[in-house]
Structure formats: C-alpha cells, structure tokens
Amino acid sequence: MTTLAPIGAAPNAGSTVKKPWGKTPDGQAVDLYVLTNRAGMEMAITTYGGAVVSLKTPDRSGKLGDVVLGYDSLEGYVNDKAYLGAIVGRYGNRIAHAQFSLDGKTYTLAKNNGENSLHGGIKGFNKAVWTAKEISTRGGPSLELSYLSKDGEEGFAGNLKVTVTYLLLDNNALRIEYSATTDKKTVVNLTNHSYFNLAGPGGDILSTVLMVEADKFTPVDAGLIPTGELRDVSGTPFDFRKPTAIGARIEQDDEQLKLGHGYDHNFVLRRAAGERAETLAARAVDPASGRVLEVWTTEPGVQLYTSNFLDGVKGKGGVTYTRRSAFCLETQHFPDSPNQAKFPSAVLSPGETYHTSTTFKFTVEK
Ligand code: BGC
C-alpha cells in the first residue's frame, strides 16, 4: 500500500491511498485508489474501467454511508454487464442499427444491444485499464485517468486520447472532468455510470424525491432509440420539474414507461443557448437519511435510468441488486446523436478539444 499524501501533511488534509487490486484475465495490473477529503468523505476508484467503486457520504446525523452500487473485487468488474460506476465511452448510450455516417463514410459498430450499439460496444471504455496519476489540486484529492482508444477500436475512427479527472472536493462534491482529442473526425459522448442509492445499499429508490431541470425529454422506440421528437413533459410521468418521488408514477400505464421498463430516458436540460458553465441538471433527496445529491453539468442531456434491467447482480458486501435498487443520472449528449441531425452534435474533429464536466454535490436536509 502506498500513501501518496504529502509528507508532513495535517491529518485532515485529505489523502490518496493506492493499492494493487489484482490482474485482468489478460494479465494487466489493476489498482484501487482511495481518496479522502478534508471533511472525511471517501471514494474508491479502480483503474479498471475508471469505475467509482464506493462513495461514502454523510447522512443528516453525520454518519458515513456508501451511496453507490459496486463490487467487492476486480472480478466483479471484469464480469460486469451493467456498467456499475464505470466510465462509459467512446459513445455513451445507443447508436441506432450500430451504424452512422460522417462525411459520407459509413461506420459500422458491433450490435451489442439488440440491433443497436450500446455504451461504446463490446469492449467499451468500461473494460479498459486506465493509467492513473495523482494530481494535486487545492480543492481536494484528485485522480487523473487516461486512455488511448486506438483508431478503429470498436469501429470508431481516430486515435482518441481521453482524460477523465475525478476531483473529490472538500465541500463533498465529486467533479468529473472529461477531455479528449482525436486525429480523425469521430463521435464522442463520455459519461459516468454510477448507480446511486442515497439510503445506502439494499433497498429500492422509489421513495427518493427527484427534481429534473427539463421541460422536454426524448421519447424512444421499442429499441430505446430516440424517435427524434423533443416531447413536452407537461402532464406526463416525465415531469420532474416539481420534486416528485421516483416511484410515484413509475408503474403508470404510460407507453414510454412501458418501453423503458421504467425510466430509461434522456431529459433535455434547460440550459441557456451558449451557456458554457455547469448548470443544475437534477436534485435527488432521500427523505429517510436526509442525503441530497445535486447533479451539475455542462452537458445538454441527462439519462434517468432506474436500474430496470438489474436482475439479481451480486454486489458489495453480499447485497443483491435488483430493478429499482438504484438510479443513474448519466449526463450526456443525447442517445443516437450521430444519426439525428437535430440533436446537439457529438462530432469531434482533429484540432478540437472535447471538454465536459459534471459535479455531483452531496449535502443533507435536516
Ligand atoms: C441505458 C440502459 C442500460 C443501462 C445499463 C443505461 O444508460 O440507457 O438501457 O440498460 O445503461 O447498460
């Protein structure tokens, strides 16, 4: 075990501890980093898939509890099919018919979700071993992860150099900054796939009260591909503009909820045109523990996913994860943007730098 905190640092200065975490089936060494901020909030990240393995935040009495789903060991992440906590790329969410065109050239991807491509393909960024570097920032302990996605990987063009930085800020916020450059025109849509349960593991998230800053969402077809419509949320179970329990309408007889087996939809965030700073996307409150999670982002969309397809996954500490045992708020460009000219573009060209950031802010309500 190596402690990377500066020698002579005050005990409450925050720290980063690195430990070996085993090897992938093809022999690559994987590490686990445990970051602790000055307030005592703690998070573990593995270099395998850059996954957030645990995130311990205080409840209203100050007691720390783990608010994300994950696995006890590397093996769980190697076998994972649900993207627990992972970095998702090169293209988060779905691309219809696993195909898109750029400048008249058609790119064919693997169909790993019915007819479609999901979350970067068969071996997405969630299955890559990332190179980690501890970086010092004033705001709290941080870890920079980098990965080179080679030209042609999973059918995408261009050597894509990706950097994802996790900053555990001393005010109990986790900021994730994503950057990428390419040497050929390509599409990029990076996100983090943490599954949150603010009450801690074990129960469901139906009583979590959610607010989403969206007047519209993108309805989907049976393959969960957006139809292209931006539909008004008014009068639908997708209206979370006033805080509403996730479970309040999830079983309603609604075509979109049926297609998603619950919520599995992209919300169009209410952001002013040209806005570059992060704005509030969503706010979730667990009334029992008092934990509050606010999601701030520079992205135009957020995918609300109520773990509809979790079907008895063996998670940390012997807990079994089932549908509705967590919610995801995946900040993103809209699904299938490479095929939808009216959606914000996910194209990255040589000479440009992709840069997005998302902050998960944890507080409590008394
Ligand atoms: C997708 C779901 C999918 C889940 C896990 C979400 O982003 O929208 O349909 O089941 O990720 O892969």
Side-chain angles (χ1 to χ4, degrees):
M1 207 185 264
T2 330
T3 303
L4 298 172
I7 294 162
N12 69 346
S15 66
T16 303
V17 174
K18 174 188 177 184
K19 45 183 167 182
W21 218 43
K23 284 193 170 158
T24 61
D26 61 358
Q28 297 182 75
V30 170
D31 294 319
L32 186 77
Y33 285 83
V34 181
L35 279 59
T36 310
N37 73 5
R38 276 171 198 263
M41 180 172 163
E42 184 200 287
M43 96 183 258
I45 302 162
T46 171
T47 53
Y48 188 83
V52 176
V53 172
S54 65
L55 193 58
K56 294 179 185 162
T57 74
D59 67 8
R60 67 160 66 86
S61 67
K63 198 168 148 262
L64 287 183
D66 194 355
V67 296
V68 293
L69 308 193
Y71 304 101
D72 288 318
S73 68
L74 175 59
E75 202 193 346
Y77 290 90
V78 169
N79 296 323
D80 167 81
K81 293 190 176 61
Y83 303 82
L84 296 194
I87 298 171
V88 173
R90 183 178 300 200
Y91 196 91
N93 217 284
R94 293 176 176 78
I95 297 180
H97 306 293
Q99 222 174 54
F100 64 96
S101 298
L102 265 183
D103 292 341
K105 190 167 184 280
T106 300
Y107 294 90
T108 304
L109 316 169
K111 294 180 177 171
N112 65 332
N113 188 254
E115 277 301 291
N116 306 316
S117 162
L118 176 66
H119 293 334
I122 293 166
K123 187 175 182 289
F125 292 2
N126 59 309
K127 298 289 180 195
V129 178
W130 293 66
T131 303
K133 189 165 107 192
E134 197 214 349
I135 52 170
S136 63
T137 52
R138 282 212 196 118
S142 330
L143 193 69
E144 183 190 277
L145 298 176
S146 48
Y147 175 63
L148 170 65
S149 170
K150 296 220 173 98
D151 185 16
E153 184 180 275
E154 289 292 332
F156 294 100
N159 288 297
L160 188 77
K161 282 190 191 155
V162 189
T163 305
V164 177
T165 306
Y166 286 107
L167 300 103
L168 184 60
L169 302 172
D170 289 326
N171 60 355
N172 287 357
L174 164 61
R175 176 166 306 144
I176 311 181
E177 291 185 354
Y178 304 85
S179 309
T181 55
T182 184
D183 57 5
K184 279 186 194 160
K185 208 176 205 186
T186 188
V187 293
V188 189
N189 190 25
L190 305 177
T191 191
N192 174 276
H193 211 305
S194 284
Y195 286 72
F196 295 100
N197 186 330
L198 300 179
D204 65 55
I205 45 76
L206 297 173
S207 57
T208 299
V209 177
L210 182 69
M211 187 283 298
V212 183
E213 282 282 332
D215 302 309
K216 295 192 163 88
F217 73 109
T218 51
V220 291
D221 67 14
L224 297 182
I225 298 292
T227 59
E229 181 191 347
L230 305 185
R231 189 175 291 173
D232 194 332
V233 295
S234 307
T236 78
F238 293 83
D239 191 348
F240 280 101
R241 291 173 297 188
K242 282 205 198 91
T244 308
I246 291 177
R249 300 164 299 185
I250 201 166
E251 298 298 343
Q252 270 183 18
D253 186 13
D254 174 89
E255 184 220 11
Q256 284 297 317
L257 286 175
K258 290 211 163 114
L259 290 170
H261 304 270
Y263 294 102
D264 190 355
H265 293 79
N266 172 67
F267 286 75
V268 178
L269 294 171
R270 198 190 286 150
R271 278 171 66 79
E275 176 63 71
R276 292 171 70 95
E278 289 184 355
T279 54
L280 181 65
R283 186 171 195 270
V285 182
D286 169 45
S289 66
R291 285 196 186 89
V292 180
L293 164 61
E294 279 185 6
V295 182
W296 291 68
T297 189
T298 59
E299 288 280 23
V302 67
Q303 186 85 6
L304 169 62
Y305 173 55
T306 43
S307 62
N308 313 325
F309 300 116
L310 278 188
D311 55 358
V313 170
K314 291 262 171 298
K316 284 179 280 190
V319 178
T320 301
Y321 304 142
T322 52
R323 64 203 283 269
R324 320 283 196 245
S325 54
F327 63 88
C328 301
L329 288 166
E330 302 152 57
T331 53
Q332 61 184 5
H333 269 53
F334 306 169
D336 198 34
S337 296
N339 292 307
Q340 309 241 10
K342 290 197 178 137
F343 288 177
S345 170
V347 173
L348 183 72
S349 298
E352 295 174 347
T353 302
Y354 171 98
H355 187 78
T356 70
S357 76
T358 294
T359 304
F360 298 97
K361 299 184 183 175
F362 293 91
T363 54
V364 289
E365 249 175 32
K366 294 292 168 195

